[in-house]
Amino acid sequence: MMDKTFNPQDAETRIYEAWEASGAFQPVDDDNAEAFSIVIPPPNVTGRLHIGHALNNTLQDVLVRYKRMLGCSVLWQPGTDHAGIATQMVVERQLAEEGQMSRRDMGREAFIERVWEWKAESGGQIMTQLRRLGASCDWSRERFTLDEGLSKAVMKVFVQLYKEGLIYRGKRLVNWDPKFETAISDLEVENLEVDGFMWHFKYPLAGGRTYTYVEKDEDGNVVLEEERDYISIATTRPETMLGDGAVAVHPDDERYAPIVGALCEIPVGPKEQRRLIPIITDEYPDMNFGSGAVKITGAHDFNDYEVAKRNNIPLYRLMDVQAAMRADGPSYAECAAQAQAIAKGADLPSEAEVDAINLVPEDYRGLDRFEARKKIVAAISEEGLAVMTEDEQGNAIPLVEKKKIQQPFGDRSGVVIEPMLTDQWFADAATLAKDAIAAVEDGRTTFHPKTWEKTYFEWMRNIQPWCVSRQLWWGHRIPAWYDADGNVYVAESEDDAKAQAGGKALTQDEDVLDTWFSSALWPFSTLGWPDDTKEVKRFYPTSVLITAFDIIFFWVARMMMQGLHFMDEIPFKDVYIHALVRDEKGQKMSKSKGNVIDPLEIVEEYGADALRFTLAAQAGQGRDIRMSKERVEGYRNFGTKLWNAARFCEMNECVTPADFDPKSVTRTVNQWILSEAASTVKAINAGLDGYRFNDAAAAAYRFVWNVFCDWHLELAKPLLQGEDEAAKAETRATTAYVLDQALKMLHPFMPFVTEELWSQTGQRDTQLITASWPVLEGLDNAEATAEIGWLIDLITDIRRLRSELGLEPKDRYMVNVLGHDDVTSSWAQNYRAIICRLTGTHMSVLHPAQELSEMAEGGSAEFPASRCTIFIQLPSKELFESVKSSLQTKLKKLDGEIMRLEKKLGNEKFVANAPAEVVAEQREKLEDYASQKTKMGEALERLQGM
RNA sequence: GGGCGGUUAGCUCAGUUGGGAGAGCAUCUCGUUUACACCGAGAGGGUCGGGGGUUCGAGCCCCUCACCGCCCA
């Protein structure tokens, strides 16, 4: 005898190992089988399984198992990426904790060796954790972005793009992370609104020049007119004033028109060397914001950078790699003089020469940027060059607005990102994006839900050059070498580079590539490219990429660009974008909020199947999923329900004979459940084919619980326990057969419990994981569906009446059913026993000839139902009153419906315009209601007479 | 500021060419009849955010307002 419940803790590991050992996770080697492939969006090698991974991988596994059972040759390609910053951070932290030398002290080679040791020991734990979920990846093909083969792909791609002019090196403004001392991508920057200040400073005009400053309101009335010898500038970052190259005003701004072209003085630094900068016009300043005039610091602000480029304004870098104020180079006096010459019209020197100019005065050199800010604000205020306002007491104070400001933070370091002018390698993303955009436009790749294509297009059409270099050690070192003169040689190997350089001594570029550079190649590099492998031929393009929307830019976009460029074909046909998992209150889960639900804890407590089913059932195509334990518990219960259904089958010796043909079944109940199973398979197929995981899960759930368990098993009991051996045999066979189909249908969602039941409920040729997906053709049976549907309605009606009338459950009451026609009369007759059993009543079947009034006189109340009338013998006279009120309530409801339908059908326009079948449907309904009303009325009348 | 999405039962959410408002959980009542109390039977509960429009007919299409969320500046 089977246990009462499934014990996931005991079974899951055993089952998983059996699957893996059997080779079920590997694609079948059959050229006739359709290929189906998914590459896992590679998690960080430092990653731990969180609930988002659980959802992502559950959905992949559902599809993979479904396709495998359909007979496809399925490859689910697993692996991890090397996560440059994250991994380096983990290992550096570990070194610090162990009190060992720092990364820099131990040197590049030793450090990298150390990272590999870390990886061998504790990297890629998420791959083990995925096994707990039941993920059926082909582990024999696990890849890592720094593997030899994948690295070869990276080198090839870099060199080729360089040769094509799609990768270049240059000095550009990039997001600089001062903690990790590397450039990071736009996508790794999180813009947060924080409390900040807006300071207002006076930039005095050169030579004591003055002008009339006039401010007007919207109607053109003058509200302020005064002589000024300065221009007022608002800034949230005073420390960058040192690097100002100009002040810009809008060309339409009349307030400043008189001084455009003039020079003004930056009010910081030693008095003797105050720098003068020009007042220029540019479309960028917003006339209605602040004073309307903005300082231009091209080397430390992205907007300013653009303005500076347009207007040939020099870019003065003020900070070092740790975002401290520069302490290098010649004296401030010397540098300021150089800058002054440029402002006064000297030719703009080369980039490198400008970069060598350090405009940080000695007083501020080496200070942290925020320290420098404080000192600079204090100095300006002291000098009287702050714009003043009055406090509540009327005292003059510097104008400092408290303001919410957008500040960029590194998503890993958490420190404020500094726009920084540095030498970096860039990929020409705009060019690469063209094909990637076209491929989605013409439908070679389709997003599901389609609406995400808008997001994809939006980003791709405004894409910026992709900074691919990182100032890290852990990663693919950029295959570029320099000779003593700074000439660059890009080649796949040092030998090639040397050959190019004519044997000159070379040093390799210190930087590594962005991790995403290698991830972008994942859909083909994992298959063996650039080698011409059979996997590339068979499994590229992959079938679908499953990921969350926040990753569209990271993976989808980049894989599309590289896939199209190097394979000349899309990397995946479909992109399914799933929701984000939030907590039960809809909050994003985060460690700091303490609302993180650990999927492994859920697995521990409820089993992997429950977690998987919960995620799949909630994977509607919305934006997020709210996760709660109650929900998981509910689906755990569902697994138990299935378990007990199987246990019931076992107890009743249900097995499917080898020669069982479901089409030959003759008993209506059996025909009916086969028909229901067939329509359920259709619904699940439709759901999974359309990435409607929740629809598929709901169909399976409803079938197993509300159809098979609630009705089929109950209706089958008399047959299974009865004397009719032929009926018993057929029912046993059918029930076992249907249970098998249910196990198959549920297997993609709940692989463990279904596999366990599969092995416990019969002699099997194969594991369930490799069994064939149900094909239930020719089993639809409308007659059986109508008949059992009628029976179910009747039983439900009688149960409701018993409950409404408050009849004692332990007492058995006499119930009679009068069929309104020969068909229902015989149904009532045939199902007499089961109706009694499921309603807890005694029952006889009336013949139409019998007088209704006789029944009434016999103490029975009458209730019209579907195609029949139910009589219930009441134990007391008082109950007739509640029968009356029950009938009256129903009559009222009916009247309402009838009125609504009559009005509708009385509307000529409706009859004229609506499709004929809709009109006919409404007519039928009206007739049905009307006849019900008549019967109710008659029943009531008879009751009144008593 | 630009873009996207949401607002349906107490809660979480489905609702795919416009034609009977649904599920799970929660609540209430009843019940231990040998598959299952991680269960069974029954019930209550919604002006589908507000307003306007198109239509014979709108949760669904259009306009508008409000509120909430996300992404990008």
Side-chain angles (χ1 to χ4, degrees):
Chain A
M1 171 95 95
M2 288 169 59
D3 294 339
K4 262 196 153 181
T5 56
F6 173 59
N7 187 338
Q9 284 78 14
D10 292 350
E12 287 179 355
T13 314
R14 165 171 52 81
I15 294 170
Y16 195 88
E17 281 167 3
W19 284 333
E20 193 168 358
S22 73
F25 297 164
Q26 283 154 327
V28 293
D29 191 14
D30 172 3
D31 288 342
N32 297 320
E34 193 186 324
F36 181 84
S37 54
I38 294 186
V39 290
I40 201 168
N44 287 351
V45 67
T46 55
R48 299 293 169 87
L49 191 80
H50 61 60
I51 196 82
H53 293 124
L55 170 66
N56 179 250
N57 289 288
T58 293
L59 298 182
Q60 291 179 69
D61 197 44
V62 167
L63 277 189
V64 156
R65 285 177 185 270
Y66 169 60
K67 293 288 178 177
R68 192 181 285 128
M69 289 175 78
L70 277 173
C72 296
S73 178
V74 172
L75 173 63
W76 184 6
Q77 171 65 52
T80 47
D81 80 31
H82 62 277
I85 290 184
T87 309
Q88 195 162 310
M89 186 169 84
V90 166
V91 176
E92 285 196 84
R93 196 191 297 142
Q94 207 177 52
L95 288 174
E97 276 167 12
E98 291 170 5
Q100 299 212 35
M101 296 193 253
S102 75
R103 164 168 74 100
R104 292 192 194 285
D105 290 340
M106 72 198 306
R108 185 166 192 147
E109 222 167 287
F111 178 74
I112 288 176
E113 205 170 297
R114 175 65 202 241
V115 181
W116 279 110
E117 279 167 26
W118 168 87
K119 192 212 168 231
E121 227 167 84
S122 38
Q125 288 188 23
I126 192 166
M127 295 290 109
T128 310
Q129 295 171 325
L130 284 175
R131 291 170 163 92
R132 293 291 312 276
L133 258 191
S136 58
C137 312
D138 182 357
W139 298 110
S140 69
R141 298 190 51 82
E142 185 177 340
R143 293 290 183 273
F144 180 55
T145 43
L146 283 176
D147 282 351
E148 198 180 320
L150 277 70
S151 298
K152 190 166 130 196
V154 167
M155 293 304 123
K156 186 179 165 76
V157 164
F158 186 92
V159 172
Q160 189 175 326
L161 288 176
Y162 178 78
K163 283 183 184 152
E164 291 170 336
L166 293 171
I167 278 186
Y168 53 90
R169 188 162 186 267
K171 204 180 266 304
R172 299 279 188 290
L173 202 56
V174 296
N175 294 295
W176 185 266
D177 188 315
K179 180 171 172 190
F180 295 127
E181 300 178 29
T182 177
I184 61 175
S185 99
D186 303 355
L187 297 171
E188 291 162 302
V189 176
E190 215 175 346
N191 284 295
L192 298 177
E193 198 170 71
V194 296
D195 291 321
F197 298 97
M198 176 84 100
W199 287 272
H200 296 257
F201 298 127
K202 295 173 178 174
Y203 281 44
L205 295 181
R209 178 173 168 180
T210 63
Y211 66 109
T212 309
Y213 178 84
V214 182
E215 192 124 340
K216 293 175 179 170
D217 65 15
E218 283 169 8
D219 304 323
N221 304 312
V222 174
V223 293
L224 175 69
E225 185 171 340
E226 62 181 16
E227 284 298 295
R228 282 187 177 176
D229 59 358
Y230 65 88
I231 183 165
S232 169
I233 304 287
T235 181
T236 58
R237 303 201 55 197
E239 71 280 14
T240 64
M241 288 165 68
L242 297 166
D244 287 354
V247 164
V249 298
H250 195 277
D252 299 339
D253 199 332
E254 292 173 16
R255 295 172 295 182
Y256 303 113
I259 52 169
V260 167
L263 294 175
C264 63
E265 186 183 300
I266 302 171
V268 280
K271 269 265 176 199
E272 320 71 71
Q273 289 114 6
R274 283 286 156 87
R275 281 204 296 126
L276 294 173
I277 52 174
I279 297 169
I280 62 164
T281 59
D282 192 275
E283 298 288 332
Y284 164 63
D286 178 352
M287 288 192 276
N288 301 314
F289 187 80
S291 67
V294 295
K295 60 197 248 353
I296 300 301
T297 321
H300 287 278
D301 180 282
F302 285 96
N303 289 312
D304 291 7
Y305 180 76
E306 295 300 322
V307 178
K309 287 293 229 191
R310 278 198 288 274
N311 295 282
N312 232 14
I313 305 294
L315 307 165
Y316 297 120
R317 184 170 60 83
L318 296 171
M319 300 176 201
D320 64 17
V321 290
Q322 295 173 333
M325 306 309 283
R326 284 173 68 171
D328 64 319
S331 69
Y332 176 70
E334 208 174 303
C335 292
Q338 275 181 282
Q340 201 54 77
I342 297 168
K344 287 199 165 143
D347 288 340
L348 196 57
S350 74
E351 269 184 7
E353 284 165 315
V354 173
D355 195 64
I357 300 176
N358 178 0
L359 288 174
V360 181
E362 276 73 14
D363 278 359
Y364 305 125
R365 289 193 177 188
L367 288 182
D368 174 77
R369 54 191 159 159
F370 300 111
E371 274 305 307
R373 178 184 298 176
K374 276 187 211 155
K375 290 189 103 169
I376 285 169
V377 169
I380 300 174
S381 301
E382 199 175 314
E383 200 181 322
L385 287 169
V387 175
M388 302 303 277
T389 186
E390 289 179 355
D391 66 12
E392 285 126 22
Q393 279 83 42
N395 305 314
I397 53 162
L399 173 56
V400 183
E401 293 176 70
K402 280 193 178 171
K403 247 181 83 115
K404 293 278 180 197
I405 56 171
Q406 290 285 329
Q407 211 162 31
F409 292 88
D411 64 357
R412 290 197 178 274
S413 66
V415 302
V416 177
I417 293 304
E418 187 64 42
M420 193 85 85
L421 202 57
T422 55
D423 285 311
Q424 302 288 348
W425 289 89
F426 294 88
D428 179 356
T431 302
L432 290 168
K434 279 181 194 149
D435 271 357
I437 292 168
V440 175
E441 279 172 340
D442 64 26
R444 273 174 285 160
T445 294
T446 313
F447 280 68
H448 305 268
K450 211 169 172 55
T451 176
W452 287 110
E453 289 179 4
K454 286 182 201 161
T455 304
Y456 173 83
F457 286 138
E458 184 63 24
W459 194 70
M460 286 296 240
R461 286 171 182 154
N462 296 299
I463 201 163
Q464 298 301 308
W466 173 13
C467 175
V468 296
S469 44
R470 296 289 181 271
Q471 287 62 52
L472 303 171
W473 287 349
W474 177 241
H476 300 98
R477 191 157 174 183
I478 292 177
W481 285 262
Y482 305 93
D483 63 20
D485 304 324
N487 297 310
V488 63
Y489 306 93
V490 172
E492 287 185 46
S493 69
E494 188 163 4
D495 288 346
D496 286 358
K498 275 202 177 125
Q500 278 183 40
K504 274 188 269 185
L506 299 177
T507 47
Q508 187 171 5
D509 196 299
E510 292 293 321
D511 293 346
V512 299
L513 288 163
D514 179 9
T515 307
W516 300 101
F517 192 89
S518 45
S519 303
L521 316 180
W522 188 254
F524 47 96
S525 64
T526 52
L527 299 177
W529 188 90
D531 294 340
D532 189 20
T533 64
K534 69 174 200 287
E535 284 83 5
V536 171
K537 282 196 204 81
R538 183 117 172 90
F539 295 113
Y540 191 93
T542 66
S543 309
V544 56
L545 182 79
I546 297 187
T547 187
F549 71 82
D550 54 343
I551 243 71
I552 291 176
F553 309 137
F554 285 108
W555 273 308
V556 182
R558 287 167 181 172
M559 288 174 176
M560 285 291 284
M561 290 192 275
Q562 299 290 44
L564 282 159
H565 195 76
F566 286 93
M567 305 299 288
D568 212 18
E569 209 170 355
I570 49 159
F572 19 71
K573 299 183 192 91
D574 286 334
V575 177
Y576 174 74
I577 302 294
H578 61 69
L580 287 187
V581 184
R582 297 170 183 278
D583 75 359
E584 51 199 316
K585 295 188 198 79
Q587 305 274 322
K588 208 167 173 172
M589 291 187 194
S590 73
K591 277 185 198 149
S592 53
K593 280 188 211 140
N595 60 347
V596 177
I597 295 180
D598 179 355
L600 294 174
E601 273 175 31
I602 300 267
V603 168
E604 208 55 52
E605 192 173 349
Y606 300 101
D609 294 325
L611 174 64
R612 291 169 59 112
F613 205 90
T614 306
L615 292 168
Q618 289 194 270
Q621 300 190 335
R623 284 237 165 179
D624 39 61
I625 289 179
R626 299 198 189 190
M627 189 69 193
S628 72
K629 282 197 171 186
E630 289 76 40
R631 197 91 190 216
V632 182
E633 193 178 299
Y635 291 119
R636 187 271 321 263
N637 295 352
F638 173 63
T640 307
K641 187 75 181 174
L642 175 71
W643 182 268
N644 277 288
R647 187 162 172 265
F648 172 85
C649 291
E650 186 205 38
M651 290 165 75
N652 286 279
E653 296 163 48
C654 295
V655 283
T656 318
D659 60 349
F660 178 69
D661 175 10
K663 290 195 195 67
S664 69
V665 159
T666 59
R667 271 79 184 171
T668 313
V669 173
N670 292 331
Q671 290 173 335
W672 166 77
I673 193 63
L674 287 164
S675 177
E676 289 288 326
S679 55
T680 303
V681 171
K682 277 191 202 118
I684 295 174
N685 290 345
L688 293 181
D689 292 343
Y691 302 107
R692 294 174 167 275
F693 296 92
N694 57 322
D695 285 353
Y701 182 97
R702 199 193 82 86
F703 174 70
V704 168
W705 200 316
N706 303 112
V707 179
F708 186 66
C709 291
D710 284 353
W711 291 105
H712 176 72
L713 295 185
E714 295 303 330
L715 296 175
K717 275 177 188 172
L719 298 171
L720 292 170
Q721 292 152 13
E723 305 294 312
D724 183 341
E725 289 303 325
K728 190 185 283 187
E730 183 189 284
T731 305
R732 278 176 171 166
T734 307
T735 303
Y737 179 80
V738 172
L739 177 67
D740 281 358
Q741 308 315 306
L743 294 179
K744 289 179 173 185
M745 288 180 229
L746 275 169
H747 182 259
F749 302 95
M750 306 186 117
F752 292 108
V753 68
T754 50
E755 186 71 74
E756 181 68 3
L757 285 172
W758 183 254
S759 71
Q760 287 203 24
T761 54
Q763 295 297 317
R764 312 293 188 178
D765 306 333
T766 75
Q767 301 180 96
L768 183 55
I769 187 175
T770 47
S772 60
W773 187 252
V775 179
L776 303 181
E777 300 293 342
L779 294 173
D780 291 338
N781 192 321
E783 291 80 25
T785 302
E787 185 171 329
I788 301 300
W790 174 86
L791 176 63
I792 288 171
D793 286 348
L794 178 64
I795 290 169
T796 307
D797 277 342
I798 296 173
R799 283 170 170 173
R800 180 167 51 240
L801 288 169
R802 285 196 61 142
S803 170
E804 275 176 8
L805 296 173
L807 302 181
E808 286 297 323
K810 53 183 178 296
D811 298 332
R812 294 181 85 85
Y813 297 91
M814 180 55 91
V815 166
N816 289 284
V817 172
L818 172 66
H820 291 164
D821 49 51
D822 290 348
V823 176
T824 43
S825 292
S826 76
W827 285 351
Q829 177 68 48
N830 293 342
Y831 294 113
R832 207 170 63 84
I834 190 70
I835 293 169
C836 291
R837 180 180 177 130
L838 296 184
T839 58
T841 57
H842 294 300
M843 190 184 125
S844 62
V845 180
L846 293 179
H847 297 288
Q850 265 179 277
E851 281 294 323
L852 298 177
S853 54
E854 278 176 29
M855 290 307 302
E857 277 160 21
S860 285
E862 170 186 356
F863 301 87
S866 165
R867 297 176 67 183
C868 65
T869 300
I870 302 163
F871 296 90
I872 296 190
Q873 198 171 43
L874 299 182
S876 74
K877 286 275 175 199
E878 292 78 56
L879 277 176
F880 282 89
E881 284 312 310
S882 41
V883 171
K884 263 189 236 171
S885 70
S886 160
L887 284 173
Q888 270 156 351
T889 316
K890 294 219 167 73
L891 256 181
K892 227 181 220 169
K893 272 189 191 162
L894 267 180
D895 270 334
E897 284 302 298
I898 288 169
M899 266 169 51
R900 196 177 59 83
L901 286 170
E902 278 176 343
K903 195 173 153 201
K904 199 169 190 177
L905 287 161
N907 183 340
E908 284 168 29
K909 286 181 179 169
F910 170 70
V911 180
N913 293 322
E917 63 266 25
V918 173
V919 178
E921 206 178 293
Q922 304 287 317
R923 282 227 169 83
E924 241 169 71
K925 211 180 286 175
L926 178 60
E927 281 163 27
D928 184 40
Y929 287 156
S931 91
Q932 280 188 45
K933 186 187 167 180
T934 311
K935 295 209 175 69
M936 292 240 177
E938 288 167 5
L940 209 66
E941 230 167 76
R942 278 190 281 277
L943 266 177
Q944 307 286 19
M946 290 165 51

